[in-house]
Amino acid sequence: MKYKHIIWDWNGTLLNDLTLCVELLNMSLEKRKLPEITEEKYRKEFLFPIKTFYESIGFDFSKEDFTIANDEFHQGFEENFKKLALQPYAKDTIARFQKMGVTQSILSATVQSRLEQQVDFFGIKSLFNNVVGISNTPSGYGKEFEGKELLSNTDIPLKQTIIVGDSMLDFTVSTALNIDCALLSNGHNNFERLKATGSKTFADIQSFSDWILG
């Protein structure tokens, strides 16, 4: 197999959290008497930084600080993530690659302590060589920095490394890190947006696994 290091995104890629994220967002929108958002519209418009996305769907941060809405979301997520499931085929695929000796990491825009808590809950931490979240900011800006640190501590050539994600951010990170990218369209961005990046784009983890194993 060409790749010796697979870097997995967490939210939307391994963790099936789209519906919860939209539900929590709609609670915040309703509180502010703003129009609700459908999953279809969310997947068309979701982007980083999160503040920009929130503004695009109606939040007015001249009237309140962004941290208020951001904290609402994270509190709701903390209270509900244990009701979620991993994406179909996620655990089996990761375990299969581990048995093959492939190095695997999680690289997430989630704060490190929260990420470790979530990965631990789903019982898959032992399958990964590295679990890397954001240590300095929850905004998503730190993902490229943390990714560079991860690669510098991993003795595997860039050409043998691939990032697997579900959003435009993962493509941006892959470009910054100069590594290949595969995108899955059952997460936070739709197929059309992901495909337009020029990256290999798949319906789900099983489709990606079939491709990478040839």
Side-chain angles (χ1 to χ4, degrees):
M1 190 172 81
K2 174 181 178 181
Y3 298 104
K4 305 301 183 185
H5 185 192
I6 299 174
I7 302 174
W8 298 92
D9 172 56
W10 177 240
N11 297 92
T13 302
L14 295 179
L15 183 64
N16 187 359
D17 63 354
L18 171 65
T19 297
L20 174 60
C21 290
V22 174
E23 288 176 353
L24 294 173
L25 183 55
N26 278 329
M27 289 172 64
S28 291
L29 289 167
E30 183 179 13
K31 183 183 294 187
R32 292 159 179 81
K33 303 187 186 307
L34 294 169
E36 291 190 354
I37 190 170
T38 63
E39 286 190 9
E40 180 181 7
K41 183 178 180 181
Y42 175 95
R43 296 175 75 243
K44 285 181 179 178
E45 300 188 13
F46 177 72
L47 54 81
F48 285 89
I50 296 297
K51 182 180 179 182
T52 302
F53 170 58
Y54 273 39
E55 289 171 332
S56 75
I57 59 175
F59 286 83
D60 185 352
F61 296 123
S62 68
K63 296 180 179 178
E64 64 173 326
D65 195 279
F66 166 64
T67 57
I68 297 173
N70 195 45
D71 288 347
E72 283 177 6
F73 174 84
H74 287 294
Q75 181 178 346
F77 199 93
E78 285 293 299
E79 293 172 353
N80 290 279
F81 83 85
K82 292 181 181 179
K83 302 174 185 177
L84 300 175
L86 297 176
Q87 290 282 17
Y89 316 111
K91 188 171 184 178
D92 289 346
T93 299
I94 296 162
R96 183 178 184 184
F97 287 138
Q98 184 197 43
K99 289 180 180 178
M100 294 172 62
V102 177
T103 297
Q104 295 181 92
S105 303
I106 291 178
L107 177 63
S108 174
T110 298
V111 172
Q112 183 72 33
S113 58
R114 290 176 180 158
L115 177 63
E116 291 178 356
Q117 178 190 13
Q118 293 168 24
V119 176
D120 277 340
F121 174 77
F122 289 98
I124 58 173
K125 189 173 182 180
S126 64
L127 299 177
F128 294 95
N129 302 84
N130 310 281
V131 175
V132 180
I134 304 303
S135 57
N136 57 347
T137 170
S139 68
Y141 282 119
K143 197 169 182 180
E144 293 178 14
F145 171 80
E146 302 293 353
K148 289 176 181 178
E149 288 289 298
L150 169 62
L151 292 178
S152 69
N153 293 321
T154 307
D155 189 24
I156 298 174
L158 296 183
K159 65 182 180 180
Q160 295 180 332
T161 302
I162 187 169
I163 189 168
V164 184
D166 70 306
S167 75
M168 303 297 287
L169 176 62
D170 298 303
F171 171 71
T172 301
V173 172
S174 73
T175 301
L177 301 183
N178 196 31
I179 59 177
D180 287 349
C181 181
L183 298 172
L184 311 180
S185 64
N186 60 341
H188 288 261
N189 282 160
N190 65 19
F191 180 86
E192 289 75 18
R193 290 180 70 191
L194 301 177
K195 187 70 173 177
T197 67
S199 300
K200 293 285 187 180
T201 306
F202 303 92
D204 53 28
I205 289 174
Q206 186 178 49
S207 300
F208 162 73
S209 177
D210 290 344
W211 168 76
I212 202 170
L213 292 172

PDB file of all heavy atoms in Angstrom, residues 96-132:
ATOM      1  N   ARG A  96      -8.196  -2.733  10.933  1.00  0.00           N
ATOM      2  CA  ARG A  96      -7.568  -3.458   9.824  1.00  0.00           C
ATOM      3  C   ARG A  96      -6.239  -2.816   9.440  1.00  0.00           C
ATOM      4  O   ARG A  96      -5.234  -3.507   9.249  1.00  0.00           O
ATOM      5  CB  ARG A  96      -8.511  -3.465   8.619  1.00  0.00           C
ATOM      6  CG  ARG A  96      -7.993  -4.258   7.424  1.00  0.00           C
ATOM      7  CD  ARG A  96      -9.002  -4.267   6.297  1.00  0.00           C
ATOM      8  NE  ARG A  96      -8.568  -5.100   5.190  1.00  0.00           N
ATOM      9  CZ  ARG A  96      -9.220  -5.222   4.042  1.00  0.00           C
ATOM     10  NH1 ARG A  96     -10.363  -4.563   3.876  1.00  0.00           N
ATOM     11  NH2 ARG A  96      -8.764  -5.983   3.074  1.00  0.00           N
ATOM     12  N   PHE A  97      -6.234  -1.480   9.337  1.00  0.00           N
ATOM     13  CA  PHE A  97      -4.988  -0.790   9.005  1.00  0.00           C
ATOM     14  C   PHE A  97      -3.948  -0.975  10.104  1.00  0.00           C
ATOM     15  O   PHE A  97      -2.752  -1.095   9.824  1.00  0.00           O
ATOM     16  CB  PHE A  97      -5.249   0.699   8.765  1.00  0.00           C
ATOM     17  CG  PHE A  97      -5.944   1.003   7.460  1.00  0.00           C
ATOM     18  CD1 PHE A  97      -6.959   1.949   7.387  1.00  0.00           C
ATOM     19  CD2 PHE A  97      -5.567   0.364   6.298  1.00  0.00           C
ATOM     20  CE1 PHE A  97      -7.593   2.236   6.199  1.00  0.00           C
ATOM     21  CE2 PHE A  97      -6.189   0.630   5.085  1.00  0.00           C
ATOM     22  CZ  PHE A  97      -7.207   1.577   5.043  1.00  0.00           C
ATOM     23  N   GLN A  98      -4.391  -0.993  11.340  1.00  0.00           N
ATOM     24  CA  GLN A  98      -3.451  -1.194  12.438  1.00  0.00           C
ATOM     25  C   GLN A  98      -2.764  -2.551  12.317  1.00  0.00           C
ATOM     26  O   GLN A  98      -1.550  -2.670  12.492  1.00  0.00           O
ATOM     27  CB  GLN A  98      -4.155  -1.082  13.783  1.00  0.00           C
ATOM     28  CG  GLN A  98      -3.188  -1.185  14.971  1.00  0.00           C
ATOM     29  CD  GLN A  98      -3.880  -1.486  16.276  1.00  0.00           C
ATOM     30  OE1 GLN A  98      -4.769  -2.335  16.335  1.00  0.00           O
ATOM     31  NE2 GLN A  98      -3.483  -0.796  17.340  1.00  0.00           N
ATOM     32  N   LYS A  99      -3.543  -3.579  11.999  1.00  0.00           N
ATOM     33  CA  LYS A  99      -2.977  -4.919  11.847  1.00  0.00           C
ATOM     34  C   LYS A  99      -1.978  -4.980  10.702  1.00  0.00           C
ATOM     35  O   LYS A  99      -1.055  -5.809  10.711  1.00  0.00           O
ATOM     36  CB  LYS A  99      -4.096  -5.932  11.623  1.00  0.00           C
ATOM     37  CG  LYS A  99      -4.947  -6.195  12.863  1.00  0.00           C
ATOM     38  CD  LYS A  99      -6.034  -7.202  12.574  1.00  0.00           C
ATOM     39  CE  LYS A  99      -6.887  -7.463  13.809  1.00  0.00           C
ATOM     40  NZ  LYS A  99      -8.000  -8.420  13.546  1.00  0.00           N
ATOM     41  N   MET A 100      -2.154  -4.102   9.719  1.00  0.00           N
ATOM     42  CA  MET A 100      -1.239  -4.046   8.577  1.00  0.00           C
ATOM     43  C   MET A 100       0.035  -3.273   8.907  1.00  0.00           C
ATOM     44  O   MET A 100       0.942  -3.185   8.073  1.00  0.00           O
ATOM     45  CB  MET A 100      -1.935  -3.396   7.380  1.00  0.00           C
ATOM     46  CG  MET A 100      -3.090  -4.197   6.813  1.00  0.00           C
ATOM     47  SD  MET A 100      -4.015  -3.264   5.554  1.00  0.00           S
ATOM     48  CE  MET A 100      -2.736  -3.021   4.322  1.00  0.00           C
ATOM     49  N   GLY A 101       0.077  -2.673  10.098  1.00  0.00           N
ATOM     50  CA  GLY A 101       1.252  -1.915  10.490  1.00  0.00           C
ATOM     51  C   GLY A 101       1.259  -0.471  10.031  1.00  0.00           C
ATOM     52  O   GLY A 101       2.300   0.194  10.087  1.00  0.00           O
ATOM     53  N   VAL A 102       0.097   0.023   9.580  1.00  0.00           N
ATOM     54  CA  VAL A 102      -0.001   1.414   9.140  1.00  0.00           C
ATOM     55  C   VAL A 102      -0.067   2.330  10.362  1.00  0.00           C
ATOM     56  O   VAL A 102      -0.836   2.081  11.289  1.00  0.00           O
ATOM     57  CB  VAL A 102      -1.253   1.619   8.263  1.00  0.00           C
ATOM     58  CG1 VAL A 102      -1.405   3.087   7.862  1.00  0.00           C
ATOM     59  CG2 VAL A 102      -1.197   0.725   7.031  1.00  0.00           C
ATOM     60  N   THR A 103       0.748   3.376  10.360  1.00  0.00           N
ATOM     61  CA  THR A 103       0.664   4.390  11.413  1.00  0.00           C
ATOM     62  C   THR A 103      -0.614   5.192  11.215  1.00  0.00           C
ATOM     63  O   THR A 103      -0.929   5.599  10.089  1.00  0.00           O
ATOM     64  CB  THR A 103       1.881   5.326  11.365  1.00  0.00           C
ATOM     65  OG1 THR A 103       3.056   4.564  11.624  1.00  0.00           O
ATOM     66  CG2 THR A 103       1.763   6.447  12.389  1.00  0.00           C
ATOM     67  N   GLN A 104      -1.370   5.422  12.297  1.00  0.00           N
ATOM     68  CA  GLN A 104      -2.617   6.169  12.191  1.00  0.00           C
ATOM     69  C   GLN A 104      -2.688   7.231  13.284  1.00  0.00           C
ATOM     70  O   GLN A 104      -2.322   6.983  14.435  1.00  0.00           O
ATOM     71  CB  GLN A 104      -3.822   5.237  12.298  1.00  0.00           C
ATOM     72  CG  GLN A 104      -3.918   4.256  11.134  1.00  0.00           C
ATOM     73  CD  GLN A 104      -5.136   3.371  11.251  1.00  0.00           C
ATOM     74  OE1 GLN A 104      -6.203   3.671  10.727  1.00  0.00           O
ATOM     75  NE2 GLN A 104      -4.977   2.257  11.939  1.00  0.00           N
ATOM     76  N   SER A 105      -3.157   8.404  12.883  1.00  0.00           N
ATOM     77  CA  SER A 105      -3.291   9.523  13.807  1.00  0.00           C
ATOM     78  C   SER A 105      -4.673  10.145  13.657  1.00  0.00           C
ATOM     79  O   SER A 105      -5.289  10.056  12.589  1.00  0.00           O
ATOM     80  CB  SER A 105      -2.236  10.601  13.515  1.00  0.00           C
ATOM     81  OG  SER A 105      -0.932  10.062  13.573  1.00  0.00           O
ATOM     82  N   ILE A 106      -5.138  10.784  14.710  1.00  0.00           N
ATOM     83  CA  ILE A 106      -6.286  11.678  14.622  1.00  0.00           C
ATOM     84  C   ILE A 106      -5.747  13.099  14.711  1.00  0.00           C
ATOM     85  O   ILE A 106      -4.922  13.413  15.572  1.00  0.00           O
ATOM     86  CB  ILE A 106      -7.291  11.427  15.762  1.00  0.00           C
ATOM     87  CG1 ILE A 106      -7.985  10.066  15.579  1.00  0.00           C
ATOM     88  CG2 ILE A 106      -8.340  12.541  15.808  1.00  0.00           C
ATOM     89  CD1 ILE A 106      -8.952   9.718  16.699  1.00  0.00           C
ATOM     90  N   LEU A 107      -6.206  13.953  13.798  1.00  0.00           N
ATOM     91  CA  LEU A 107      -5.879  15.376  13.825  1.00  0.00           C
ATOM     92  C   LEU A 107      -7.193  16.129  13.764  1.00  0.00           C
ATOM     93  O   LEU A 107      -7.913  16.066  12.769  1.00  0.00           O
ATOM     94  CB  LEU A 107      -4.984  15.755  12.652  1.00  0.00           C
ATOM     95  CG  LEU A 107      -4.637  17.244  12.524  1.00  0.00           C
ATOM     96  CD1 LEU A 107      -3.847  17.723  13.739  1.00  0.00           C
ATOM     97  CD2 LEU A 107      -3.858  17.512  11.225  1.00  0.00           C
ATOM     98  N   SER A 108      -7.512  16.835  14.837  1.00  0.00           N
ATOM     99  CA  SER A 108      -8.839  17.440  14.961  1.00  0.00           C
ATOM    100  C   SER A 108      -8.757  18.898  15.383  1.00  0.00           C
ATOM    101  O   SER A 108      -7.828  19.316  16.074  1.00  0.00           O
ATOM    102  CB  SER A 108      -9.659  16.654  16.000  1.00  0.00           C
ATOM    103  OG  SER A 108     -10.898  17.298  16.257  1.00  0.00           O
ATOM    104  N   ALA A 109      -9.780  19.666  14.988  1.00  0.00           N
ATOM    105  CA  ALA A 109      -9.917  21.052  15.436  1.00  0.00           C
ATOM    106  C   ALA A 109     -10.580  21.129  16.803  1.00  0.00           C
ATOM    107  O   ALA A 109     -10.857  22.219  17.300  1.00  0.00           O
ATOM    108  CB  ALA A 109     -10.718  21.860  14.413  1.00  0.00           C
ATOM    109  N   THR A 110     -10.848  19.984  17.408  1.00  0.00           N
ATOM    110  CA  THR A 110     -11.383  19.939  18.763  1.00  0.00           C
ATOM    111  C   THR A 110     -10.250  20.172  19.769  1.00  0.00           C
ATOM    112  O   THR A 110      -9.129  19.710  19.566  1.00  0.00           O
ATOM    113  CB  THR A 110     -12.042  18.568  19.032  1.00  0.00           C
ATOM    114  OG1 THR A 110     -13.129  18.393  18.116  1.00  0.00           O
ATOM    115  CG2 THR A 110     -12.572  18.469  20.449  1.00  0.00           C
ATOM    116  N   VAL A 111     -10.560  20.872  20.846  1.00  0.00           N
ATOM    117  CA  VAL A 111      -9.573  21.102  21.902  1.00  0.00           C
ATOM    118  C   VAL A 111      -9.060  19.755  22.416  1.00  0.00           C
ATOM    119  O   VAL A 111      -9.829  18.801  22.568  1.00  0.00           O
ATOM    120  CB  VAL A 111     -10.202  21.928  23.045  1.00  0.00           C
ATOM    121  CG1 VAL A 111      -9.270  22.007  24.244  1.00  0.00           C
ATOM    122  CG2 VAL A 111     -10.548  23.328  22.552  1.00  0.00           C
ATOM    123  N   GLN A 112      -7.773  19.670  22.700  1.00  0.00           N
ATOM    124  CA  GLN A 112      -7.112  18.403  23.038  1.00  0.00           C
ATOM    125  C   GLN A 112      -7.825  17.629  24.141  1.00  0.00           C
ATOM    126  O   GLN A 112      -8.071  16.426  24.007  1.00  0.00           O
ATOM    127  CB  GLN A 112      -5.666  18.674  23.447  1.00  0.00           C
ATOM    128  CG  GLN A 112      -4.853  17.433  23.765  1.00  0.00           C
ATOM    129  CD  GLN A 112      -4.502  16.615  22.535  1.00  0.00           C
ATOM    130  OE1 GLN A 112      -4.304  17.174  21.467  1.00  0.00           O
ATOM    131  NE2 GLN A 112      -4.421  15.303  22.682  1.00  0.00           N
ATOM    132  N   SER A 113      -8.156  18.279  25.235  1.00  0.00           N
ATOM    133  CA  SER A 113      -8.768  17.567  26.367  1.00  0.00           C
ATOM    134  C   SER A 113     -10.122  16.985  25.991  1.00  0.00           C
ATOM    135  O   SER A 113     -10.453  15.851  26.375  1.00  0.00           O
ATOM    136  CB  SER A 113      -8.917  18.504  27.568  1.00  0.00           C
ATOM    137  OG  SER A 113      -9.704  19.643  27.231  1.00  0.00           O
ATOM    138  N   ARG A 114     -10.905  17.714  25.220  1.00  0.00           N
ATOM    139  CA  ARG A 114     -12.218  17.215  24.791  1.00  0.00           C
ATOM    140  C   ARG A 114     -12.062  16.062  23.808  1.00  0.00           C
ATOM    141  O   ARG A 114     -12.800  15.077  23.861  1.00  0.00           O
ATOM    142  CB  ARG A 114     -13.027  18.337  24.139  1.00  0.00           C
ATOM    143  CG  ARG A 114     -13.498  19.421  25.097  1.00  0.00           C
ATOM    144  CD  ARG A 114     -14.192  20.530  24.338  1.00  0.00           C
ATOM    145  NE  ARG A 114     -14.649  21.592  25.214  1.00  0.00           N
ATOM    146  CZ  ARG A 114     -14.886  22.826  24.810  1.00  0.00           C
ATOM    147  NH1 ARG A 114     -14.696  23.158  23.535  1.00  0.00           N
ATOM    148  NH2 ARG A 114     -15.316  23.755  25.665  1.00  0.00           N
ATOM    149  N   LEU A 115     -11.098  16.201  22.905  1.00  0.00           N
ATOM    150  CA  LEU A 115     -10.857  15.151  21.920  1.00  0.00           C
ATOM    151  C   LEU A 115     -10.482  13.846  22.597  1.00  0.00           C
ATOM    152  O   LEU A 115     -11.020  12.777  22.271  1.00  0.00           O
ATOM    153  CB  LEU A 115      -9.755  15.586  20.955  1.00  0.00           C
ATOM    154  CG  LEU A 115      -9.344  14.561  19.902  1.00  0.00           C
ATOM    155  CD1 LEU A 115     -10.504  14.240  18.974  1.00  0.00           C
ATOM    156  CD2 LEU A 115      -8.134  15.063  19.115  1.00  0.00           C
ATOM    157  N   GLU A 116      -9.559  13.905  23.550  1.00  0.00           N
ATOM    158  CA  GLU A 116      -9.145  12.692  24.253  1.00  0.00           C
ATOM    159  C   GLU A 116     -10.321  12.059  24.993  1.00  0.00           C
ATOM    160  O   GLU A 116     -10.461  10.828  25.005  1.00  0.00           O
ATOM    161  CB  GLU A 116      -8.017  13.020  25.218  1.00  0.00           C
ATOM    162  CG  GLU A 116      -6.712  13.384  24.529  1.00  0.00           C
ATOM    163  CD  GLU A 116      -5.613  13.753  25.503  1.00  0.00           C
ATOM    164  OE1 GLU A 116      -5.894  13.807  26.725  1.00  0.00           O
ATOM    165  OE2 GLU A 116      -4.474  13.995  25.065  1.00  0.00           O
ATOM    166  N   GLN A 117     -11.155  12.880  25.606  1.00  0.00           N
ATOM    167  CA  GLN A 117     -12.330  12.372  26.307  1.00  0.00           C
ATOM    168  C   GLN A 117     -13.255  11.623  25.345  1.00  0.00           C
ATOM    169  O   GLN A 117     -13.756  10.533  25.659  1.00  0.00           O
ATOM    170  CB  GLN A 117     -13.088  13.533  26.963  1.00  0.00           C
ATOM    171  CG  GLN A 117     -14.366  13.114  27.677  1.00  0.00           C
ATOM    172  CD  GLN A 117     -15.209  14.303  28.107  1.00  0.00           C
ATOM    173  OE1 GLN A 117     -14.974  15.440  27.680  1.00  0.00           O
ATOM    174  NE2 GLN A 117     -16.203  14.070  28.945  1.00  0.00           N
ATOM    175  N   GLN A 118     -13.477  12.204  24.178  1.00  0.00           N
ATOM    176  CA  GLN A 118     -14.392  11.598  23.216  1.00  0.00           C
ATOM    177  C   GLN A 118     -13.827  10.311  22.623  1.00  0.00           C
ATOM    178  O   GLN A 118     -14.519   9.291  22.531  1.00  0.00           O
ATOM    179  CB  GLN A 118     -14.717  12.612  22.114  1.00  0.00           C
ATOM    180  CG  GLN A 118     -15.535  13.798  22.610  1.00  0.00           C
ATOM    181  CD  GLN A 118     -15.619  14.932  21.615  1.00  0.00           C
ATOM    182  OE1 GLN A 118     -15.467  14.735  20.403  1.00  0.00           O
ATOM    183  NE2 GLN A 118     -15.842  16.148  22.108  1.00  0.00           N
ATOM    184  N   VAL A 119     -12.557  10.344  22.233  1.00  0.00           N
ATOM    185  CA  VAL A 119     -11.931   9.143  21.650  1.00  0.00           C
ATOM    186  C   VAL A 119     -11.897   8.023  22.685  1.00  0.00           C
ATOM    187  O   VAL A 119     -12.166   6.852  22.366  1.00  0.00           O
ATOM    188  CB  VAL A 119     -10.529   9.468  21.114  1.00  0.00           C
ATOM    189  CG1 VAL A 119      -9.843   8.199  20.607  1.00  0.00           C
ATOM    190  CG2 VAL A 119     -10.609  10.503  19.990  1.00  0.00           C
ATOM    191  N   ASP A 120     -11.586   8.357  23.926  1.00  0.00           N
ATOM    192  CA  ASP A 120     -11.596   7.365  25.009  1.00  0.00           C
ATOM    193  C   ASP A 120     -12.971   6.737  25.167  1.00  0.00           C
ATOM    194  O   ASP A 120     -13.090   5.509  25.346  1.00  0.00           O
ATOM    195  CB  ASP A 120     -11.192   8.021  26.340  1.00  0.00           C
ATOM    196  CG  ASP A 120      -9.690   8.120  26.508  1.00  0.00           C
ATOM    197  OD1 ASP A 120      -8.965   7.375  25.820  1.00  0.00           O
ATOM    198  OD2 ASP A 120      -9.238   8.939  27.326  1.00  0.00           O
ATOM    199  N   PHE A 121     -14.017   7.558  25.111  1.00  0.00           N
ATOM    200  CA  PHE A 121     -15.373   7.047  25.317  1.00  0.00           C
ATOM    201  C   PHE A 121     -15.723   5.968  24.293  1.00  0.00           C
ATOM    202  O   PHE A 121     -16.372   4.971  24.627  1.00  0.00           O
ATOM    203  CB  PHE A 121     -16.393   8.187  25.239  1.00  0.00           C
ATOM    204  CG  PHE A 121     -17.818   7.710  25.308  1.00  0.00           C
ATOM    205  CD1 PHE A 121     -18.384   7.333  26.519  1.00  0.00           C
ATOM    206  CD2 PHE A 121     -18.593   7.601  24.154  1.00  0.00           C
ATOM    207  CE1 PHE A 121     -19.687   6.854  26.581  1.00  0.00           C
ATOM    208  CE2 PHE A 121     -19.902   7.128  24.209  1.00  0.00           C
ATOM    209  CZ  PHE A 121     -20.451   6.758  25.431  1.00  0.00           C
ATOM    210  N   PHE A 122     -15.287   6.164  23.050  1.00  0.00           N
ATOM    211  CA  PHE A 122     -15.630   5.199  22.001  1.00  0.00           C
ATOM    212  C   PHE A 122     -14.667   4.015  21.937  1.00  0.00           C
ATOM    213  O   PHE A 122     -14.792   3.146  21.071  1.00  0.00           O
ATOM    214  CB  PHE A 122     -15.727   5.911  20.643  1.00  0.00           C
ATOM    215  CG  PHE A 122     -16.936   6.802  20.532  1.00  0.00           C
ATOM    216  CD1 PHE A 122     -16.827   8.161  20.754  1.00  0.00           C
ATOM    217  CD2 PHE A 122     -18.180   6.276  20.276  1.00  0.00           C
ATOM    218  CE1 PHE A 122     -17.936   8.984  20.686  1.00  0.00           C
ATOM    219  CE2 PHE A 122     -19.299   7.076  20.202  1.00  0.00           C
ATOM    220  CZ  PHE A 122     -19.181   8.437  20.415  1.00  0.00           C
ATOM    221  N   GLY A 123     -13.716   3.974  22.843  1.00  0.00           N
ATOM    222  CA  GLY A 123     -12.878   2.796  23.003  1.00  0.00           C
ATOM    223  C   GLY A 123     -11.925   2.501  21.868  1.00  0.00           C
ATOM    224  O   GLY A 123     -11.582   1.338  21.632  1.00  0.00           O
ATOM    225  N   ILE A 124     -11.452   3.540  21.187  1.00  0.00           N
ATOM    226  CA  ILE A 124     -10.586   3.298  20.029  1.00  0.00           C
ATOM    227  C   ILE A 124      -9.209   3.953  20.155  1.00  0.00           C
ATOM    228  O   ILE A 124      -8.415   3.897  19.213  1.00  0.00           O
ATOM    229  CB  ILE A 124     -11.259   3.778  18.718  1.00  0.00           C
ATOM    230  CG1 ILE A 124     -11.607   5.270  18.802  1.00  0.00           C
ATOM    231  CG2 ILE A 124     -12.494   2.943  18.421  1.00  0.00           C
ATOM    232  CD1 ILE A 124     -12.120   5.842  17.488  1.00  0.00           C
ATOM    233  N   LYS A 125      -8.911   4.546  21.286  1.00  0.00           N
ATOM    234  CA  LYS A 125      -7.648   5.274  21.416  1.00  0.00           C
ATOM    235  C   LYS A 125      -6.445   4.366  21.177  1.00  0.00           C
ATOM    236  O   LYS A 125      -5.430   4.790  20.609  1.00  0.00           O
ATOM    237  CB  LYS A 125      -7.553   5.934  22.798  1.00  0.00           C
ATOM    238  CG  LYS A 125      -6.374   6.886  22.928  1.00  0.00           C
ATOM    239  CD  LYS A 125      -6.404   7.644  24.241  1.00  0.00           C
ATOM    240  CE  LYS A 125      -5.247   8.625  24.325  1.00  0.00           C
ATOM    241  NZ  LYS A 125      -5.253   9.387  25.607  1.00  0.00           N
ATOM    242  N   SER A 126      -6.551   3.112  21.597  1.00  0.00           N
ATOM    243  CA  SER A 126      -5.419   2.183  21.458  1.00  0.00           C
ATOM    244  C   SER A 126      -5.108   1.845  20.002  1.00  0.00           C
ATOM    245  O   SER A 126      -4.044   1.297  19.704  1.00  0.00           O
ATOM    246  CB  SER A 126      -5.706   0.893  22.225  1.00  0.00           C
ATOM    247  OG  SER A 126      -6.824   0.209  21.676  1.00  0.00           O
ATOM    248  N   LEU A 127      -6.023   2.164  19.098  1.00  0.00           N
ATOM    249  CA  LEU A 127      -5.814   1.876  17.682  1.00  0.00           C
ATOM    250  C   LEU A 127      -4.963   2.943  16.995  1.00  0.00           C
ATOM    251  O   LEU A 127      -4.552   2.757  15.845  1.00  0.00           O
ATOM    252  CB  LEU A 127      -7.156   1.753  16.957  1.00  0.00           C
ATOM    253  CG  LEU A 127      -8.090   0.631  17.436  1.00  0.00           C
ATOM    254  CD1 LEU A 127      -9.418   0.679  16.680  1.00  0.00           C
ATOM    255  CD2 LEU A 127      -7.432  -0.732  17.260  1.00  0.00           C
ATOM    256  N   PHE A 128      -4.717   4.049  17.689  1.00  0.00           N
ATOM    257  CA  PHE A 128      -4.011   5.180  17.084  1.00  0.00           C
ATOM    258  C   PHE A 128      -2.628   5.374  17.697  1.00  0.00           C
ATOM    259  O   PHE A 128      -2.432   5.190  18.888  1.00  0.00           O
ATOM    260  CB  PHE A 128      -4.825   6.470  17.243  1.00  0.00           C
ATOM    261  CG  PHE A 128      -6.114   6.456  16.478  1.00  0.00           C
ATOM    262  CD1 PHE A 128      -7.295   6.091  17.094  1.00  0.00           C
ATOM    263  CD2 PHE A 128      -6.143   6.784  15.134  1.00  0.00           C
ATOM    264  CE1 PHE A 128      -8.490   6.056  16.392  1.00  0.00           C
ATOM    265  CE2 PHE A 128      -7.328   6.754  14.416  1.00  0.00           C
ATOM    266  CZ  PHE A 128      -8.503   6.387  15.043  1.00  0.00           C
ATOM    267  N   ASN A 129      -1.708   5.793  16.847  1.00  0.00           N
ATOM    268  CA  ASN A 129      -0.371   6.151  17.319  1.00  0.00           C
ATOM    269  C   ASN A 129      -0.345   7.549  17.926  1.00  0.00           C
ATOM    270  O   ASN A 129       0.455   7.834  18.814  1.00  0.00           O
ATOM    271  CB  ASN A 129       0.626   6.084  16.162  1.00  0.00           C
ATOM    272  CG  ASN A 129       0.686   4.719  15.515  1.00  0.00           C
ATOM    273  OD1 ASN A 129      -0.139   4.401  14.645  1.00  0.00           O
ATOM    274  ND2 ASN A 129       1.634   3.896  15.931  1.00  0.00           N
ATOM    275  N   ASN A 130      -1.236   8.426  17.422  1.00  0.00           N
ATOM    276  CA  ASN A 130      -1.292   9.807  17.894  1.00  0.00           C
ATOM    277  C   ASN A 130      -2.731  10.298  17.898  1.00  0.00           C
ATOM    278  O   ASN A 130      -3.493  10.009  16.963  1.00  0.00           O
ATOM    279  CB  ASN A 130      -0.467  10.740  16.982  1.00  0.00           C
ATOM    280  CG  ASN A 130       0.937  10.237  16.720  1.00  0.00           C
ATOM    281  OD1 ASN A 130       1.811  10.375  17.563  1.00  0.00           O
ATOM    282  ND2 ASN A 130       1.150   9.645  15.552  1.00  0.00           N
ATOM    283  N   VAL A 131      -3.098  11.026  18.928  1.00  0.00           N
ATOM    284  CA  VAL A 131      -4.398  11.705  18.983  1.00  0.00           C
ATOM    285  C   VAL A 131      -4.101  13.170  19.255  1.00  0.00           C
ATOM    286  O   VAL A 131      -3.679  13.541  20.349  1.00  0.00           O
ATOM    287  CB  VAL A 131      -5.305  11.119  20.083  1.00  0.00           C
ATOM    288  CG1 VAL A 131      -6.604  11.927  20.194  1.00  0.00           C
ATOM    289  CG2 VAL A 131      -5.616   9.651  19.794  1.00  0.00           C
ATOM    290  N   VAL A 132      -4.290  14.000  18.234  1.00  0.00           N
ATOM    291  CA  VAL A 132      -3.849  15.392  18.296  1.00  0.00           C
ATOM    292  C   VAL A 132      -5.026  16.335  18.093  1.00  0.00           C
ATOM    293  O   VAL A 132      -5.671  16.341  17.038  1.00  0.00           O
ATOM    294  CB  VAL A 132      -2.770  15.676  17.224  1.00  0.00           C
ATOM    295  CG1 VAL A 132      -2.324  17.140  17.294  1.00  0.00           C
ATOM    296  CG2 VAL A 132      -1.591  14.741  17.396  1.00  0.00           C
TER     297      VAL A 132
END
